[in-house]
Amino acid sequence: MKNNLVKILVGLCAVALIAMIAVFLSLNSIVKNGVTAFGPEVIKAPIQLDGVSISAFSGRGEIKGLVVGNPEGFKTPNAVKLGTASLQVKPASLLGDKIVVQSIRADGAELTFEGSLSGSNLSKIQENVDAYVASLIGPAAKDKKSAPGKKLQVDEIIISNAKINLSMTILGGKAVSVPLPDIKLTGLGQGPEGLTPAEVIKVVMKEVM
């Protein structure tokens, strides 16, 4: 009987180890698919991502070729274009309920602000994010525990050397570029409950706006 229990425990440990290895090996595709599938649902605009490279053991990673499109009705090609961004994740948190992102650094981002009589592309994305977050929380207000999925803690976000293209819809997509001041955000989701990915997006969009 004792031998059988030992065999069962060893078998369960082996299955758990295999599952952990599978998660680590497929982490890049999980993140990429999450961004390109979950993101458009939140912002109501297309998202393209060339690649994700994250080491589950060191927690270091890189995101390449991120392009955020515009909501319907705008003429410029995209709202955000980013060549590369680096990030540092706490490896042990990847298997928990709250993923701890220690740093996100985006250098050389290109944003496009397209204005029209009814608003702008960035304000429309902000509205879409606000609506998505409100749908998670529900009309009763404000219990973050009701929002499903993994939560995030983001210790630091730095956006540097960015520029913004200013355009009016009536110009048919033409724009003039100006430099954007550096943006630094710290301490997002550091409480025990963390933030949903949509809530993190909301904070960043508010700062950009």
Side-chain angles (χ1 to χ4, degrees):
M1 180 70 176
K2 184 176 179 181
N3 289 338
N4 287 337
L5 287 175
V6 171
K7 290 179 181 177
I8 291 172
L9 288 174
V10 170
L12 290 174
C13 289
V15 170
L17 181 60
I18 292 171
M20 289 174 63
I21 292 172
V23 169
F24 284 154
L25 292 178
S26 59
L27 185 59
N28 293 336
S29 60
I30 290 173
V31 173
K32 181 178 179 180
N33 292 337
V35 170
T36 54
F38 169 75
E41 183 181 350
V42 176
I43 68 173
K44 299 296 187 292
I47 295 179
Q48 298 176 4
L49 182 59
D50 289 344
V52 176
S53 175
I54 300 176
S55 169
F57 300 101
S58 69
R60 295 189 183 92
E62 189 176 65
I63 297 173
K64 298 179 180 179
L66 176 66
V67 179
V68 178
N70 275 319
E72 187 176 349
F74 293 94
K75 305 295 184 184
T76 47
N78 50 67
V80 180
K81 191 174 182 181
L82 177 62
T84 60
S86 62
L87 67 156
Q88 177 69 48
V89 179
K90 189 174 181 180
S93 70
L94 292 170
L95 297 176
D97 292 331
K98 185 173 80 166
I99 297 175
V100 178
V101 182
Q102 296 166 311
S103 177
I104 299 175
R105 293 175 177 266
D107 187 71
E110 183 177 335
L111 291 81
T112 298
F113 181 95
E114 181 183 341
S116 68
L117 294 177
S118 60
S120 72
N121 59 335
L122 296 183
S123 64
K124 183 61 178 176
I125 290 175
Q126 178 75 61
E127 290 174 13
N128 293 339
V129 173
D130 290 347
Y132 187 90
V133 171
S135 72
L136 289 182
I137 296 174
K142 323 253 172 179
D143 182 7
K144 289 187 178 67
K145 291 181 180 178
S146 65
K150 282 185 177 287
K151 302 298 175 65
L152 296 175
Q153 174 181 316
V154 184
D155 295 337
E156 178 183 77
I157 299 176
I158 297 176
I159 302 172
S160 57
N161 299 314
K163 67 177 181 178
I164 187 162
N165 302 317
L166 303 175
S167 175
M168 295 297 292
T169 302
I170 58 174
L171 299 178
K174 295 180 180 179
V176 60
S177 296
V178 295
L180 186 70
D182 291 352
I183 293 172
K184 182 175 182 179
L185 300 170
T186 58
L188 305 183
Q190 289 190 332
E193 296 169 359
L195 296 174
T196 66
E199 287 171 317
V200 174
I201 294 171
K202 179 178 178 178
V203 171
V204 175
M205 284 299 302
K206 182 178 180 181
E207 186 68 21
V208 170
M209 293 295 292

PDB file of all heavy atoms in Angstrom, residues 43-47 67-80 111-114 120-125 128 167 169 173:
ATOM      1  N   ILE A  43      -9.502  47.129 -27.003  1.00  0.00           N
ATOM      2  CA  ILE A  43      -9.407  48.463 -27.618  1.00  0.00           C
ATOM      3  C   ILE A  43     -10.280  48.615 -28.857  1.00  0.00           C
ATOM      4  O   ILE A  43     -10.419  49.714 -29.388  1.00  0.00           O
ATOM      5  CB  ILE A  43      -7.949  48.802 -27.985  1.00  0.00           C
ATOM      6  CG1 ILE A  43      -7.441  47.904 -29.113  1.00  0.00           C
ATOM      7  CG2 ILE A  43      -7.047  48.696 -26.759  1.00  0.00           C
ATOM      8  CD1 ILE A  43      -6.067  48.302 -29.642  1.00  0.00           C
ATOM      9  N   LYS A  44     -10.863  47.515 -29.342  1.00  0.00           N
ATOM     10  CA  LYS A  44     -11.717  47.533 -30.537  1.00  0.00           C
ATOM     11  C   LYS A  44     -10.955  48.055 -31.761  1.00  0.00           C
ATOM     12  O   LYS A  44     -11.450  48.854 -32.548  1.00  0.00           O
ATOM     13  CB  LYS A  44     -12.974  48.379 -30.310  1.00  0.00           C
ATOM     14  CG  LYS A  44     -13.857  47.870 -29.173  1.00  0.00           C
ATOM     15  CD  LYS A  44     -14.419  46.499 -29.477  1.00  0.00           C
ATOM     16  CE  LYS A  44     -15.439  46.042 -28.443  1.00  0.00           C
ATOM     17  NZ  LYS A  44     -14.856  45.769 -27.118  1.00  0.00           N
ATOM     18  N   ALA A  45      -9.720  47.594 -31.892  1.00  0.00           N
ATOM     19  CA  ALA A  45      -8.863  47.936 -33.026  1.00  0.00           C
ATOM     20  C   ALA A  45      -7.871  46.795 -33.218  1.00  0.00           C
ATOM     21  O   ALA A  45      -7.549  46.080 -32.250  1.00  0.00           O
ATOM     22  CB  ALA A  45      -8.129  49.252 -32.785  1.00  0.00           C
ATOM     23  N   PRO A  46      -7.390  46.594 -34.448  1.00  0.00           N
ATOM     24  CA  PRO A  46      -6.474  45.469 -34.690  1.00  0.00           C
ATOM     25  C   PRO A  46      -5.111  45.668 -34.038  1.00  0.00           C
ATOM     26  O   PRO A  46      -4.656  46.795 -33.854  1.00  0.00           O
ATOM     27  CB  PRO A  46      -6.357  45.439 -36.220  1.00  0.00           C
ATOM     28  CG  PRO A  46      -6.689  46.826 -36.656  1.00  0.00           C
ATOM     29  CD  PRO A  46      -7.698  47.341 -35.677  1.00  0.00           C
ATOM     30  N   ILE A  47      -4.461  44.561 -33.678  1.00  0.00           N
ATOM     31  CA  ILE A  47      -3.111  44.577 -33.114  1.00  0.00           C
ATOM     32  C   ILE A  47      -2.265  43.537 -33.827  1.00  0.00           C
ATOM     33  O   ILE A  47      -2.687  42.393 -33.992  1.00  0.00           O
ATOM     34  CB  ILE A  47      -3.119  44.286 -31.603  1.00  0.00           C
ATOM     35  CG1 ILE A  47      -3.840  45.405 -30.845  1.00  0.00           C
ATOM     36  CG2 ILE A  47      -1.696  44.138 -31.067  1.00  0.00           C
ATOM     37  CD1 ILE A  47      -3.905  45.168 -29.346  1.00  0.00           C
ATOM     38  N   VAL A  67       2.272  46.784 -33.532  1.00  0.00           N
ATOM     39  CA  VAL A  67       1.517  47.810 -34.266  1.00  0.00           C
ATOM     40  C   VAL A  67       0.067  47.757 -33.803  1.00  0.00           C
ATOM     41  O   VAL A  67      -0.593  46.721 -33.918  1.00  0.00           O
ATOM     42  CB  VAL A  67       1.586  47.598 -35.792  1.00  0.00           C
ATOM     43  CG1 VAL A  67       0.758  48.668 -36.513  1.00  0.00           C
ATOM     44  CG2 VAL A  67       3.027  47.634 -36.283  1.00  0.00           C
ATOM     45  N   VAL A  68      -0.408  48.870 -33.274  1.00  0.00           N
ATOM     46  CA  VAL A  68      -1.798  48.981 -32.829  1.00  0.00           C
ATOM     47  C   VAL A  68      -2.550  49.801 -33.864  1.00  0.00           C
ATOM     48  O   VAL A  68      -2.204  50.956 -34.123  1.00  0.00           O
ATOM     49  CB  VAL A  68      -1.884  49.664 -31.447  1.00  0.00           C
ATOM     50  CG1 VAL A  68      -3.339  49.812 -31.015  1.00  0.00           C
ATOM     51  CG2 VAL A  68      -1.096  48.864 -30.414  1.00  0.00           C
ATOM     52  N   GLY A  69      -3.550  49.207 -34.466  1.00  0.00           N
ATOM     53  CA  GLY A  69      -4.324  49.888 -35.488  1.00  0.00           C
ATOM     54  C   GLY A  69      -5.296  50.909 -34.902  1.00  0.00           C
ATOM     55  O   GLY A  69      -5.322  51.147 -33.688  1.00  0.00           O
ATOM     56  N   ASN A  70      -6.094  51.493 -35.763  1.00  0.00           N
ATOM     57  CA  ASN A  70      -7.071  52.490 -35.344  1.00  0.00           C
ATOM     58  C   ASN A  70      -8.475  51.897 -35.300  1.00  0.00           C
ATOM     59  O   ASN A  70      -8.789  50.971 -36.058  1.00  0.00           O
ATOM     60  CB  ASN A  70      -7.077  53.674 -36.318  1.00  0.00           C
ATOM     61  CG  ASN A  70      -6.011  54.692 -35.982  1.00  0.00           C
ATOM     62  OD1 ASN A  70      -5.787  54.996 -34.816  1.00  0.00           O
ATOM     63  ND2 ASN A  70      -5.353  55.213 -37.004  1.00  0.00           N
ATOM     64  N   PRO A  71      -9.328  52.445 -34.445  1.00  0.00           N
ATOM     65  CA  PRO A  71     -10.742  52.060 -34.501  1.00  0.00           C
ATOM     66  C   PRO A  71     -11.353  52.439 -35.844  1.00  0.00           C
ATOM     67  O   PRO A  71     -10.798  53.244 -36.597  1.00  0.00           O
ATOM     68  CB  PRO A  71     -11.371  52.875 -33.357  1.00  0.00           C
ATOM     69  CG  PRO A  71     -10.226  53.252 -32.462  1.00  0.00           C
ATOM     70  CD  PRO A  71      -9.047  53.402 -33.370  1.00  0.00           C
ATOM     71  N   GLU A  72     -12.478  51.881 -36.126  1.00  0.00           N
ATOM     72  CA  GLU A  72     -13.157  52.124 -37.407  1.00  0.00           C
ATOM     73  C   GLU A  72     -13.474  53.605 -37.577  1.00  0.00           C
ATOM     74  O   GLU A  72     -13.853  54.298 -36.633  1.00  0.00           O
ATOM     75  CB  GLU A  72     -14.456  51.312 -37.449  1.00  0.00           C
ATOM     76  CG  GLU A  72     -15.167  51.346 -38.790  1.00  0.00           C
ATOM     77  CD  GLU A  72     -16.384  50.447 -38.821  1.00  0.00           C
ATOM     78  OE1 GLU A  72     -16.556  49.649 -37.889  1.00  0.00           O
ATOM     79  OE2 GLU A  72     -17.164  50.547 -39.787  1.00  0.00           O
ATOM     80  N   GLY A  73     -13.243  54.116 -38.790  1.00  0.00           N
ATOM     81  CA  GLY A  73     -13.602  55.488 -39.112  1.00  0.00           C
ATOM     82  C   GLY A  73     -12.434  56.446 -39.192  1.00  0.00           C
ATOM     83  O   GLY A  73     -12.617  57.607 -39.583  1.00  0.00           O
ATOM     84  N   PHE A  74     -11.224  55.985 -38.849  1.00  0.00           N
ATOM     85  CA  PHE A  74     -10.053  56.860 -38.897  1.00  0.00           C
ATOM     86  C   PHE A  74      -9.178  56.497 -40.100  1.00  0.00           C
ATOM     87  O   PHE A  74      -9.145  55.349 -40.545  1.00  0.00           O
ATOM     88  CB  PHE A  74      -9.272  56.773 -37.588  1.00  0.00           C
ATOM     89  CG  PHE A  74     -10.036  57.330 -36.414  1.00  0.00           C
ATOM     90  CD1 PHE A  74     -10.802  56.503 -35.613  1.00  0.00           C
ATOM     91  CD2 PHE A  74     -10.019  58.688 -36.137  1.00  0.00           C
ATOM     92  CE1 PHE A  74     -11.531  57.011 -34.553  1.00  0.00           C
ATOM     93  CE2 PHE A  74     -10.734  59.214 -35.071  1.00  0.00           C
ATOM     94  CZ  PHE A  74     -11.497  58.375 -34.278  1.00  0.00           C
ATOM     95  N   LYS A  75      -8.452  57.493 -40.617  1.00  0.00           N
ATOM     96  CA  LYS A  75      -7.758  57.348 -41.896  1.00  0.00           C
ATOM     97  C   LYS A  75      -6.278  56.990 -41.772  1.00  0.00           C
ATOM     98  O   LYS A  75      -5.697  56.425 -42.703  1.00  0.00           O
ATOM     99  CB  LYS A  75      -7.877  58.661 -42.689  1.00  0.00           C
ATOM    100  CG  LYS A  75      -9.298  59.143 -42.899  1.00  0.00           C
ATOM    101  CD  LYS A  75     -10.101  58.186 -43.764  1.00  0.00           C
ATOM    102  CE  LYS A  75     -11.499  58.757 -44.033  1.00  0.00           C
ATOM    103  NZ  LYS A  75     -12.330  57.793 -44.806  1.00  0.00           N
ATOM    104  N   THR A  76      -5.635  57.369 -40.673  1.00  0.00           N
ATOM    105  CA  THR A  76      -4.209  57.094 -40.529  1.00  0.00           C
ATOM    106  C   THR A  76      -3.972  55.590 -40.361  1.00  0.00           C
ATOM    107  O   THR A  76      -4.856  54.869 -39.885  1.00  0.00           O
ATOM    108  CB  THR A  76      -3.622  57.858 -39.320  1.00  0.00           C
ATOM    109  OG1 THR A  76      -4.483  57.680 -38.195  1.00  0.00           O
ATOM    110  CG2 THR A  76      -3.495  59.328 -39.632  1.00  0.00           C
ATOM    111  N   PRO A  77      -2.775  55.090 -40.759  1.00  0.00           N
ATOM    112  CA  PRO A  77      -2.539  53.644 -40.785  1.00  0.00           C
ATOM    113  C   PRO A  77      -2.616  52.978 -39.418  1.00  0.00           C
ATOM    114  O   PRO A  77      -3.052  51.824 -39.309  1.00  0.00           O
ATOM    115  CB  PRO A  77      -1.119  53.519 -41.364  1.00  0.00           C
ATOM    116  CG  PRO A  77      -0.877  54.803 -42.090  1.00  0.00           C
ATOM    117  CD  PRO A  77      -1.648  55.841 -41.352  1.00  0.00           C
ATOM    118  N   ASN A  78      -2.175  53.670 -38.358  1.00  0.00           N
ATOM    119  CA  ASN A  78      -2.168  53.035 -37.037  1.00  0.00           C
ATOM    120  C   ASN A  78      -2.153  54.098 -35.945  1.00  0.00           C
ATOM    121  O   ASN A  78      -1.931  55.280 -36.200  1.00  0.00           O
ATOM    122  CB  ASN A  78      -0.977  52.089 -36.887  1.00  0.00           C
ATOM    123  CG  ASN A  78       0.331  52.739 -37.271  1.00  0.00           C
ATOM    124  OD1 ASN A  78       0.800  53.659 -36.610  1.00  0.00           O
ATOM    125  ND2 ASN A  78       0.927  52.282 -38.384  1.00  0.00           N
ATOM    126  N   ALA A  79      -2.385  53.643 -34.712  1.00  0.00           N
ATOM    127  CA  ALA A  79      -2.345  54.530 -33.552  1.00  0.00           C
ATOM    128  C   ALA A  79      -1.006  54.463 -32.838  1.00  0.00           C
ATOM    129  O   ALA A  79      -0.520  55.469 -32.330  1.00  0.00           O
ATOM    130  CB  ALA A  79      -3.473  54.180 -32.570  1.00  0.00           C
ATOM    131  N   VAL A  80      -0.412  53.287 -32.786  1.00  0.00           N
ATOM    132  CA  VAL A  80       0.866  53.084 -32.102  1.00  0.00           C
ATOM    133  C   VAL A  80       1.732  52.149 -32.930  1.00  0.00           C
ATOM    134  O   VAL A  80       1.244  51.128 -33.451  1.00  0.00           O
ATOM    135  CB  VAL A  80       0.682  52.478 -30.695  1.00  0.00           C
ATOM    136  CG1 VAL A  80       2.036  52.278 -30.017  1.00  0.00           C
ATOM    137  CG2 VAL A  80      -0.223  53.350 -29.835  1.00  0.00           C
ATOM    138  N   LEU A 111       3.491  57.328 -31.959  1.00  0.00           N
ATOM    139  CA  LEU A 111       2.050  57.412 -31.756  1.00  0.00           C
ATOM    140  C   LEU A 111       1.440  58.349 -32.786  1.00  0.00           C
ATOM    141  O   LEU A 111       2.101  59.289 -33.240  1.00  0.00           O
ATOM    142  CB  LEU A 111       1.709  57.918 -30.350  1.00  0.00           C
ATOM    143  CG  LEU A 111       2.007  56.989 -29.171  1.00  0.00           C
ATOM    144  CD1 LEU A 111       3.480  57.050 -28.774  1.00  0.00           C
ATOM    145  CD2 LEU A 111       1.143  57.365 -27.976  1.00  0.00           C
ATOM    146  N   THR A 112       0.212  58.091 -33.151  1.00  0.00           N
ATOM    147  CA  THR A 112      -0.493  58.963 -34.083  1.00  0.00           C
ATOM    148  C   THR A 112      -1.788  59.438 -33.440  1.00  0.00           C
ATOM    149  O   THR A 112      -2.611  58.631 -33.014  1.00  0.00           O
ATOM    150  CB  THR A 112      -0.809  58.240 -35.401  1.00  0.00           C
ATOM    151  OG1 THR A 112       0.419  57.863 -36.040  1.00  0.00           O
ATOM    152  CG2 THR A 112      -1.592  59.145 -36.343  1.00  0.00           C
ATOM    153  N   PHE A 113      -1.926  60.757 -33.342  1.00  0.00           N
ATOM    154  CA  PHE A 113      -3.139  61.378 -32.826  1.00  0.00           C
ATOM    155  C   PHE A 113      -3.909  61.931 -34.015  1.00  0.00           C
ATOM    156  O   PHE A 113      -3.484  62.902 -34.631  1.00  0.00           O
ATOM    157  CB  PHE A 113      -2.782  62.493 -31.840  1.00  0.00           C
ATOM    158  CG  PHE A 113      -3.975  63.184 -31.230  1.00  0.00           C
ATOM    159  CD1 PHE A 113      -4.468  62.787 -30.006  1.00  0.00           C
ATOM    160  CD2 PHE A 113      -4.592  64.244 -31.886  1.00  0.00           C
ATOM    161  CE1 PHE A 113      -5.558  63.433 -29.438  1.00  0.00           C
ATOM    162  CE2 PHE A 113      -5.682  64.885 -31.333  1.00  0.00           C
ATOM    163  CZ  PHE A 113      -6.171  64.484 -30.100  1.00  0.00           C
ATOM    164  N   GLU A 114      -5.016  61.296 -34.345  1.00  0.00           N
ATOM    165  CA  GLU A 114      -5.855  61.741 -35.459  1.00  0.00           C
ATOM    166  C   GLU A 114      -7.138  62.334 -34.909  1.00  0.00           C
ATOM    167  O   GLU A 114      -7.959  61.623 -34.310  1.00  0.00           O
ATOM    168  CB  GLU A 114      -6.176  60.583 -36.406  1.00  0.00           C
ATOM    169  CG  GLU A 114      -7.033  61.012 -37.586  1.00  0.00           C
ATOM    170  CD  GLU A 114      -7.413  59.853 -38.508  1.00  0.00           C
ATOM    171  OE1 GLU A 114      -6.735  58.806 -38.457  1.00  0.00           O
ATOM    172  OE2 GLU A 114      -8.382  60.004 -39.267  1.00  0.00           O
ATOM    173  N   SER A 120     -10.971  61.838 -31.241  1.00  0.00           N
ATOM    174  CA  SER A 120      -9.711  61.386 -31.818  1.00  0.00           C
ATOM    175  C   SER A 120      -9.609  59.865 -31.715  1.00  0.00           C
ATOM    176  O   SER A 120     -10.355  59.218 -30.970  1.00  0.00           O
ATOM    177  CB  SER A 120      -8.523  62.021 -31.090  1.00  0.00           C
ATOM    178  OG  SER A 120      -8.366  61.453 -29.798  1.00  0.00           O
ATOM    179  N   ASN A 121      -8.653  59.326 -32.474  1.00  0.00           N
ATOM    180  CA  ASN A 121      -8.454  57.876 -32.420  1.00  0.00           C
ATOM    181  C   ASN A 121      -8.003  57.423 -31.035  1.00  0.00           C
ATOM    182  O   ASN A 121      -8.464  56.389 -30.523  1.00  0.00           O
ATOM    183  CB  ASN A 121      -7.448  57.434 -33.493  1.00  0.00           C
ATOM    184  CG  ASN A 121      -6.083  58.102 -33.340  1.00  0.00           C
ATOM    185  OD1 ASN A 121      -5.947  59.192 -32.773  1.00  0.00           O
ATOM    186  ND2 ASN A 121      -5.046  57.452 -33.844  1.00  0.00           N
ATOM    187  N   LEU A 122      -7.115  58.196 -30.392  1.00  0.00           N
ATOM    188  CA  LEU A 122      -6.632  57.804 -29.073  1.00  0.00           C
ATOM    189  C   LEU A 122      -7.726  57.927 -28.015  1.00  0.00           C
ATOM    190  O   LEU A 122      -7.825  57.079 -27.116  1.00  0.00           O
ATOM    191  CB  LEU A 122      -5.418  58.648 -28.679  1.00  0.00           C
ATOM    192  CG  LEU A 122      -4.173  58.484 -29.568  1.00  0.00           C
ATOM    193  CD1 LEU A 122      -3.021  59.317 -29.014  1.00  0.00           C
ATOM    194  CD2 LEU A 122      -3.757  57.024 -29.688  1.00  0.00           C
ATOM    195  N   SER A 123      -8.551  58.976 -28.121  1.00  0.00           N
ATOM    196  CA  SER A 123      -9.650  59.101 -27.148  1.00  0.00           C
ATOM    197  C   SER A 123     -10.685  57.991 -27.361  1.00  0.00           C
ATOM    198  O   SER A 123     -11.287  57.503 -26.397  1.00  0.00           O
ATOM    199  CB  SER A 123     -10.315  60.476 -27.255  1.00  0.00           C
ATOM    200  OG  SER A 123     -10.926  60.658 -28.522  1.00  0.00           O
ATOM    201  N   LYS A 124     -10.865  57.570 -28.614  1.00  0.00           N
ATOM    202  CA  LYS A 124     -11.796  56.472 -28.889  1.00  0.00           C
ATOM    203  C   LYS A 124     -11.266  55.164 -28.304  1.00  0.00           C
ATOM    204  O   LYS A 124     -12.029  54.383 -27.718  1.00  0.00           O
ATOM    205  CB  LYS A 124     -12.009  56.329 -30.406  1.00  0.00           C
ATOM    206  CG  LYS A 124     -13.021  55.248 -30.782  1.00  0.00           C
ATOM    207  CD  LYS A 124     -14.389  55.543 -30.201  1.00  0.00           C
ATOM    208  CE  LYS A 124     -15.411  54.479 -30.620  1.00  0.00           C
ATOM    209  NZ  LYS A 124     -16.732  54.722 -29.975  1.00  0.00           N
ATOM    210  N   ILE A 125      -9.952  54.917 -28.442  1.00  0.00           N
ATOM    211  CA  ILE A 125      -9.361  53.739 -27.826  1.00  0.00           C
ATOM    212  C   ILE A 125      -9.529  53.801 -26.314  1.00  0.00           C
ATOM    213  O   ILE A 125      -9.860  52.806 -25.666  1.00  0.00           O
ATOM    214  CB  ILE A 125      -7.875  53.618 -28.220  1.00  0.00           C
ATOM    215  CG1 ILE A 125      -7.757  53.246 -29.708  1.00  0.00           C
ATOM    216  CG2 ILE A 125      -7.167  52.570 -27.362  1.00  0.00           C
ATOM    217  CD1 ILE A 125      -6.328  53.231 -30.226  1.00  0.00           C
ATOM    218  N   ASN A 128     -12.989  52.849 -25.422  1.00  0.00           N
ATOM    219  CA  ASN A 128     -13.198  51.407 -25.555  1.00  0.00           C
ATOM    220  C   ASN A 128     -12.607  50.646 -24.374  1.00  0.00           C
ATOM    221  O   ASN A 128     -13.197  49.685 -23.874  1.00  0.00           O
ATOM    222  CB  ASN A 128     -12.580  50.911 -26.869  1.00  0.00           C
ATOM    223  CG  ASN A 128     -13.292  51.448 -28.090  1.00  0.00           C
ATOM    224  OD1 ASN A 128     -14.451  51.863 -28.017  1.00  0.00           O
ATOM    225  ND2 ASN A 128     -12.618  51.459 -29.225  1.00  0.00           N
ATOM    226  N   SER A 167      -2.571  64.650 -36.704  1.00  0.00           N
ATOM    227  CA  SER A 167      -3.276  64.632 -37.978  1.00  0.00           C
ATOM    228  C   SER A 167      -4.743  64.970 -37.755  1.00  0.00           C
ATOM    229  O   SER A 167      -5.280  64.794 -36.661  1.00  0.00           O
ATOM    230  CB  SER A 167      -3.162  63.243 -38.622  1.00  0.00           C
ATOM    231  OG  SER A 167      -3.937  63.168 -39.809  1.00  0.00           O
ATOM    232  N   THR A 169      -8.555  64.127 -39.526  1.00  0.00           N
ATOM    233  CA  THR A 169      -9.194  63.183 -40.441  1.00  0.00           C
ATOM    234  C   THR A 169      -9.457  63.815 -41.806  1.00  0.00           C
ATOM    235  O   THR A 169      -9.328  63.173 -42.842  1.00  0.00           O
ATOM    236  CB  THR A 169     -10.512  62.666 -39.832  1.00  0.00           C
ATOM    237  OG1 THR A 169     -10.229  62.056 -38.567  1.00  0.00           O
ATOM    238  CG2 THR A 169     -11.171  61.640 -40.745  1.00  0.00           C
ATOM    239  N   GLY A 173      -5.222  61.473 -43.708  1.00  0.00           N
ATOM    240  CA  GLY A 173      -4.127  60.641 -43.209  1.00  0.00           C
ATOM    241  C   GLY A 173      -2.781  61.331 -43.142  1.00  0.00           C
ATOM    242  O   GLY A 173      -1.811  60.756 -42.655  1.00  0.00           O
TER     243      GLY A 173
END
